[in-house]
mmCIF file of all heavy atoms in Angstrom:
data_model
loop_
_atom_site.group_PDB
_atom_site.id
_atom_site.type_symbol
_atom_site.label_atom_id
_atom_site.label_comp_id
_atom_site.label_asym_id
_atom_site.label_seq_id
_atom_site.Cartn_x
_atom_site.Cartn_y
_atom_site.Cartn_z
ATOM 1 N N ALA A 4 74.827 130.686 35.550
ATOM 2 C CA ALA A 4 74.525 130.841 34.081
ATOM 3 C C ALA A 4 75.118 132.043 33.527
ATOM 4 O O ALA A 4 75.698 132.077 32.399
ATOM 5 C CB ALA A 4 73.044 130.685 33.764
ATOM 6 N N SER A 5 75.031 133.153 34.234
ATOM 7 C CA SER A 5 75.639 134.477 33.732
ATOM 8 C C SER A 5 77.066 134.301 33.671
ATOM 9 O O SER A 5 77.725 134.881 32.731
ATOM 10 C CB SER A 5 75.198 135.528 34.683
ATOM 11 O OG SER A 5 75.752 136.741 34.345
ATOM 12 N N ALA A 6 77.746 133.722 34.632
ATOM 13 C CA ALA A 6 79.253 133.630 34.671
ATOM 14 C C ALA A 6 79.732 132.771 33.508
ATOM 15 O O ALA A 6 80.681 133.087 32.811
ATOM 16 C CB ALA A 6 79.731 133.085 35.981
ATOM 17 N N ARG A 7 78.986 131.653 33.227
ATOM 18 C CA ARG A 7 79.368 130.828 32.108
ATOM 19 C C ARG A 7 79.205 131.485 30.790
ATOM 20 O O ARG A 7 79.991 131.325 29.915
ATOM 21 C CB ARG A 7 78.520 129.577 32.143
ATOM 22 C CG ARG A 7 78.855 128.617 33.313
ATOM 23 C CD ARG A 7 78.081 127.423 33.272
ATOM 24 N NE ARG A 7 78.424 126.469 34.305
ATOM 25 C CZ ARG A 7 77.740 125.293 34.494
ATOM 26 N NH1 ARG A 7 76.667 124.976 33.811
ATOM 27 N NH2 ARG A 7 78.143 124.542 35.502
ATOM 28 N N ALA A 8 78.174 132.335 30.664
ATOM 29 C CA ALA A 8 77.958 132.980 29.321
ATOM 30 C C ALA A 8 79.028 134.022 29.104
ATOM 31 O O ALA A 8 79.427 134.289 27.942
ATOM 32 C CB ALA A 8 76.602 133.710 29.395
ATOM 33 N N GLN A 9 79.630 134.684 30.119
ATOM 34 C CA GLN A 9 80.552 135.695 29.913
ATOM 35 C C GLN A 9 82.055 135.235 30.032
ATOM 36 O O GLN A 9 82.944 136.006 29.925
ATOM 37 C CB GLN A 9 80.353 136.883 30.790
ATOM 38 C CG GLN A 9 78.913 137.519 30.624
ATOM 39 C CD GLN A 9 78.813 138.850 31.297
ATOM 40 O OE1 GLN A 9 79.884 139.506 31.557
ATOM 41 N NE2 GLN A 9 77.678 139.215 31.650
ATOM 42 N N SER A 10 82.195 133.965 30.421
ATOM 43 C CA SER A 10 83.627 133.538 30.690
ATOM 44 C C SER A 10 84.548 133.539 29.420
ATOM 45 O O SER A 10 85.729 133.779 29.555
ATOM 46 C CB SER A 10 83.578 132.080 31.184
ATOM 47 O OG SER A 10 82.939 131.221 30.237
ATOM 48 N N PRO A 11 84.026 133.409 28.154
ATOM 49 C CA PRO A 11 84.968 133.587 27.010
ATOM 50 C C PRO A 11 85.575 134.940 26.910
ATOM 51 O O PRO A 11 86.643 135.165 26.368
ATOM 52 C CB PRO A 11 84.087 133.257 25.832
ATOM 53 C CG PRO A 11 82.910 132.368 26.354
ATOM 54 C CD PRO A 11 82.685 132.911 27.709
ATOM 55 N N ASN A 12 84.916 136.019 27.446
ATOM 56 C CA ASN A 12 85.400 137.316 27.469
ATOM 57 C C ASN A 12 86.258 137.670 28.673
ATOM 58 O O ASN A 12 86.546 138.828 28.890
ATOM 59 C CB ASN A 12 84.294 138.357 27.282
ATOM 60 C CG ASN A 12 83.651 138.313 25.958
ATOM 61 O OD1 ASN A 12 84.263 137.963 24.961
ATOM 62 N ND2 ASN A 12 82.347 138.477 25.834
ATOM 63 N N LEU A 13 86.459 136.642 29.505
ATOM 64 C CA LEU A 13 87.228 136.841 30.704
ATOM 65 C C LEU A 13 86.537 137.868 31.654
ATOM 66 O O LEU A 13 87.267 138.564 32.357
ATOM 67 C CB LEU A 13 88.669 137.249 30.397
ATOM 68 C CG LEU A 13 89.447 136.288 29.391
ATOM 69 C CD1 LEU A 13 90.835 136.876 29.195
ATOM 70 C CD2 LEU A 13 89.501 134.898 29.916
ATOM 71 N N ILE A 14 85.246 137.911 31.720
ATOM 72 C CA ILE A 14 84.534 138.744 32.583
ATOM 73 C C ILE A 14 83.696 138.029 33.558
ATOM 74 O O ILE A 14 83.073 136.997 33.205
ATOM 75 C CB ILE A 14 83.643 139.727 31.811
ATOM 76 C CG1 ILE A 14 84.426 140.482 30.696
ATOM 77 C CG2 ILE A 14 82.901 140.783 32.710
ATOM 78 C CD1 ILE A 14 83.516 141.290 29.858
ATOM 79 N N SER A 15 83.684 138.440 34.790
ATOM 80 C CA SER A 15 82.759 137.770 35.789
ATOM 81 C C SER A 15 81.998 138.883 36.545
ATOM 82 O O SER A 15 82.355 140.114 36.505
ATOM 83 C CB SER A 15 83.513 136.903 36.718
ATOM 84 O OG SER A 15 84.516 137.774 37.424
ATOM 85 N N GLU A 16 80.954 138.513 37.206
ATOM 86 C CA GLU A 16 80.129 139.577 37.911
ATOM 87 C C GLU A 16 80.841 140.388 38.821
ATOM 88 O O GLU A 16 80.566 141.522 39.008
ATOM 89 C CB GLU A 16 78.942 138.821 38.464
ATOM 90 C CG GLU A 16 77.933 138.177 37.514
ATOM 91 C CD GLU A 16 77.218 139.225 36.704
ATOM 92 O OE1 GLU A 16 77.041 140.352 37.162
ATOM 93 O OE2 GLU A 16 76.759 138.890 35.589
ATOM 94 N N ASP A 17 81.845 139.778 39.490
ATOM 95 C CA ASP A 17 82.450 140.557 40.630
ATOM 96 C C ASP A 17 83.452 141.565 39.999
ATOM 97 O O ASP A 17 84.077 142.266 40.751
ATOM 98 C CB ASP A 17 83.247 139.548 41.491
ATOM 99 C CG ASP A 17 84.299 138.717 40.769
ATOM 100 O OD1 ASP A 17 84.253 138.745 39.520
ATOM 101 O OD2 ASP A 17 85.069 138.060 41.425
ATOM 102 N N MET A 18 83.695 141.527 38.659
ATOM 103 C CA MET A 18 84.540 142.564 37.967
ATOM 104 C C MET A 18 83.782 143.760 37.584
ATOM 105 O O MET A 18 84.367 144.672 36.972
ATOM 106 C CB MET A 18 85.274 141.933 36.832
ATOM 107 C CG MET A 18 86.092 140.759 37.129
ATOM 108 S SD MET A 18 86.792 140.034 35.662
ATOM 109 C CE MET A 18 87.456 138.541 36.374
ATOM 110 N N ILE A 19 82.443 143.852 37.714
ATOM 111 C CA ILE A 19 81.651 144.932 37.318
ATOM 112 C C ILE A 19 81.377 145.856 38.486
ATOM 113 O O ILE A 19 80.830 145.394 39.540
ATOM 114 C CB ILE A 19 80.311 144.471 36.640
ATOM 115 C CG1 ILE A 19 80.677 143.528 35.471
ATOM 116 C CG2 ILE A 19 79.472 145.618 36.241
ATOM 117 C CD1 ILE A 19 79.387 142.930 34.859
ATOM 118 N N ARG A 20 81.635 147.092 38.338
ATOM 119 C CA ARG A 20 81.292 148.141 39.309
ATOM 120 C C ARG A 20 80.357 149.024 38.632
ATOM 121 O O ARG A 20 80.610 149.832 37.773
ATOM 122 C CB ARG A 20 82.590 148.864 39.798
ATOM 123 C CG ARG A 20 83.607 147.972 40.406
ATOM 124 C CD ARG A 20 84.454 148.715 41.383
ATOM 125 N NE ARG A 20 85.044 149.939 40.883
ATOM 126 C CZ ARG A 20 86.198 150.111 40.325
ATOM 127 N NH1 ARG A 20 86.980 149.023 40.195
ATOM 128 N NH2 ARG A 20 86.598 151.286 39.823
ATOM 129 N N ALA A 21 79.135 149.001 39.205
ATOM 130 C CA ALA A 21 78.018 149.910 38.507
ATOM 131 C C ALA A 21 78.007 151.219 39.062
ATOM 132 O O ALA A 21 77.296 152.096 38.580
ATOM 133 C CB ALA A 21 76.728 149.150 38.826
ATOM 134 N N GLU A 22 78.719 151.583 40.141
ATOM 135 C CA GLU A 22 78.656 152.944 40.740
ATOM 136 C C GLU A 22 79.253 153.924 39.791
ATOM 137 O O GLU A 22 80.035 153.595 38.903
ATOM 138 C CB GLU A 22 79.307 152.905 42.132
ATOM 139 C CG GLU A 22 80.909 152.829 41.998
ATOM 140 C CD GLU A 22 81.292 151.373 42.049
ATOM 141 O OE1 GLU A 22 80.375 150.476 41.927
ATOM 142 O OE2 GLU A 22 82.474 151.136 42.297
ATOM 143 N N THR A 23 78.806 155.125 39.906
ATOM 144 C CA THR A 23 79.322 156.200 39.104
ATOM 145 C C THR A 23 80.779 156.500 39.514
ATOM 146 O O THR A 23 81.088 156.581 40.626
ATOM 147 C CB THR A 23 78.473 157.484 39.276
ATOM 148 O OG1 THR A 23 77.126 157.233 38.919
ATOM 149 C CG2 THR A 23 79.019 158.610 38.361
ATOM 150 N N VAL A 24 81.769 156.590 38.429
ATOM 151 C CA VAL A 24 83.125 156.783 38.684
ATOM 152 C C VAL A 24 83.597 158.049 38.005
ATOM 153 O O VAL A 24 82.892 158.557 36.988
ATOM 154 C CB VAL A 24 83.954 155.656 38.277
ATOM 155 C CG1 VAL A 24 83.544 154.427 39.056
ATOM 156 C CG2 VAL A 24 83.681 155.355 36.786
ATOM 157 N N HIS A 25 84.668 158.626 38.351
ATOM 158 C CA HIS A 25 85.291 159.762 37.819
ATOM 159 C C HIS A 25 86.630 159.265 37.122
ATOM 160 O O HIS A 25 87.456 158.640 37.797
ATOM 161 C CB HIS A 25 85.535 160.837 38.805
ATOM 162 C CG HIS A 25 84.275 161.413 39.356
ATOM 163 N ND1 HIS A 25 83.449 162.259 38.773
ATOM 164 C CD2 HIS A 25 83.670 161.092 40.581
ATOM 165 C CE1 HIS A 25 82.368 162.536 39.590
ATOM 166 N NE2 HIS A 25 82.571 161.854 40.702
ATOM 167 N N TYR A 26 86.796 159.622 35.893
ATOM 168 C CA TYR A 26 88.020 159.289 35.171
ATOM 169 C C TYR A 26 88.502 160.450 34.338
ATOM 170 O O TYR A 26 87.635 161.301 33.964
ATOM 171 C CB TYR A 26 87.804 158.026 34.268
ATOM 172 C CG TYR A 26 86.633 158.159 33.342
ATOM 173 C CD1 TYR A 26 86.679 158.777 32.107
ATOM 174 C CD2 TYR A 26 85.369 157.758 33.735
ATOM 175 C CE1 TYR A 26 85.650 158.905 31.265
ATOM 176 C CE2 TYR A 26 84.295 157.816 32.939
ATOM 177 C CZ TYR A 26 84.431 158.514 31.693
ATOM 178 O OH TYR A 26 83.283 158.640 30.947
ATOM 179 N N SER A 27 89.851 160.536 34.156
ATOM 180 C CA SER A 27 90.374 161.631 33.448
ATOM 181 C C SER A 27 90.692 161.495 32.042
ATOM 182 O O SER A 27 90.665 162.392 31.216
ATOM 183 C CB SER A 27 91.628 162.145 34.192
ATOM 184 O OG SER A 27 92.552 161.078 34.131
ATOM 185 N N LYS A 28 90.944 160.228 31.592
ATOM 186 C CA LYS A 28 91.311 159.971 30.214
ATOM 187 C C LYS A 28 91.011 158.575 29.811
ATOM 188 O O LYS A 28 91.125 157.639 30.621
ATOM 189 C CB LYS A 28 92.771 160.189 30.061
ATOM 190 C CG LYS A 28 93.300 160.230 28.610
ATOM 191 C CD LYS A 28 94.803 160.627 28.488
ATOM 192 C CE LYS A 28 95.190 160.692 27.068
ATOM 193 N NZ LYS A 28 96.629 161.061 26.893
ATOM 194 N N THR A 29 90.516 158.397 28.575
ATOM 195 C CA THR A 29 90.191 157.164 28.042
ATOM 196 C C THR A 29 90.806 156.971 26.651
ATOM 197 O O THR A 29 91.383 157.892 26.107
ATOM 198 C CB THR A 29 88.572 156.964 27.872
ATOM 199 O OG1 THR A 29 88.137 157.960 26.915
ATOM 200 C CG2 THR A 29 87.915 157.147 29.109
ATOM 201 N N ALA A 30 90.771 155.733 26.216
ATOM 202 C CA ALA A 30 91.291 155.411 24.875
ATOM 203 C C ALA A 30 90.435 154.230 24.264
ATOM 204 O O ALA A 30 89.772 153.510 25.007
ATOM 205 C CB ALA A 30 92.694 154.851 24.943
ATOM 206 N N VAL A 31 90.303 154.285 22.954
ATOM 207 C CA VAL A 31 89.582 153.230 22.255
ATOM 208 C C VAL A 31 90.451 152.152 21.711
ATOM 209 O O VAL A 31 91.531 152.447 21.107
ATOM 210 C CB VAL A 31 88.766 153.966 21.063
ATOM 211 C CG1 VAL A 31 87.986 152.890 20.306
ATOM 212 C CG2 VAL A 31 87.794 155.000 21.668
ATOM 213 N N VAL A 32 90.111 150.931 21.986
ATOM 214 C CA VAL A 32 90.878 149.793 21.454
ATOM 215 C C VAL A 32 90.802 149.804 19.964
ATOM 216 O O VAL A 32 89.763 149.672 19.343
ATOM 217 C CB VAL A 32 90.328 148.482 22.030
ATOM 218 C CG1 VAL A 32 91.128 147.271 21.417
ATOM 219 C CG2 VAL A 32 90.417 148.516 23.545
ATOM 220 N N GLU A 33 92.011 149.704 19.274
ATOM 221 C CA GLU A 33 92.165 149.764 17.797
ATOM 222 C C GLU A 33 92.896 148.523 17.397
ATOM 223 O O GLU A 33 93.668 147.915 18.207
ATOM 224 C CB GLU A 33 92.836 150.993 17.330
ATOM 225 C CG GLU A 33 92.101 152.281 17.716
ATOM 226 C CD GLU A 33 92.877 153.497 17.252
ATOM 227 O OE1 GLU A 33 94.109 153.336 16.903
ATOM 228 O OE2 GLU A 33 92.274 154.625 17.257
ATOM 229 N N MET A 34 92.759 148.250 16.120
ATOM 230 C CA MET A 34 93.575 147.155 15.506
ATOM 231 C C MET A 34 94.824 147.695 14.984
ATOM 232 O O MET A 34 94.827 148.772 14.444
ATOM 233 C CB MET A 34 92.807 146.415 14.402
ATOM 234 C CG MET A 34 91.520 145.752 14.859
ATOM 235 S SD MET A 34 91.780 144.409 16.019
ATOM 236 C CE MET A 34 92.614 143.213 15.001
ATOM 237 N N GLY A 35 95.904 146.932 15.054
ATOM 238 C CA GLY A 35 97.197 147.465 14.593
ATOM 239 C C GLY A 35 98.148 146.302 14.341
ATOM 240 O O GLY A 35 97.744 145.156 14.268
ATOM 241 N N GLU A 36 99.422 146.667 14.218
ATOM 242 C CA GLU A 36 100.432 145.672 14.047
ATOM 243 C C GLU A 36 101.592 146.016 14.952
ATOM 244 O O GLU A 36 101.724 147.100 15.548
ATOM 245 C CB GLU A 36 100.917 145.673 12.627
ATOM 246 C CG GLU A 36 101.612 146.958 12.161
ATOM 247 C CD GLU A 36 102.053 146.895 10.691
ATOM 248 O OE1 GLU A 36 101.648 146.017 9.943
ATOM 249 O OE2 GLU A 36 102.894 147.825 10.285
ATOM 250 N N TYR A 37 102.430 144.890 15.144
ATOM 251 C CA TYR A 37 103.503 145.090 16.095
ATOM 252 C C TYR A 37 104.817 144.625 15.443
ATOM 253 O O TYR A 37 104.873 143.553 14.735
ATOM 254 C CB TYR A 37 103.375 144.124 17.338
ATOM 255 C CG TYR A 37 104.532 144.083 18.240
ATOM 256 C CD1 TYR A 37 104.778 144.994 19.148
ATOM 257 C CD2 TYR A 37 105.383 142.998 18.127
ATOM 258 C CE1 TYR A 37 105.805 144.989 20.029
ATOM 259 C CE2 TYR A 37 106.500 142.853 18.977
ATOM 260 C CZ TYR A 37 106.678 143.849 19.905
ATOM 261 O OH TYR A 37 107.834 143.740 20.660
#
């Protein structure tokens, strides 16, 4: 049931990593034009 609920967003349980991670840089998804 959980996999079916999240399939429209192309997410499945095996794609989630709950452990603490270290990252150096992030970005926010914005709307734009091409």
Side-chain angles (χ1 to χ4, degrees):
S5 176
R7 289 181 178 176
Q9 297 192 30
S10 59
N12 292 328
L13 305 180
I14 306 173
S15 61
E16 292 292 338
D17 60 349
M18 300 177 191
I19 301 176
R20 299 207 310 266
E22 69 271 14
T23 302
V24 296
H25 297 281
Y26 51 87
S27 58
K28 190 174 183 181
T29 62
V31 177
V32 178
E33 299 178 347
M34 299 297 293
E36 62 180 17
Y37 172 83

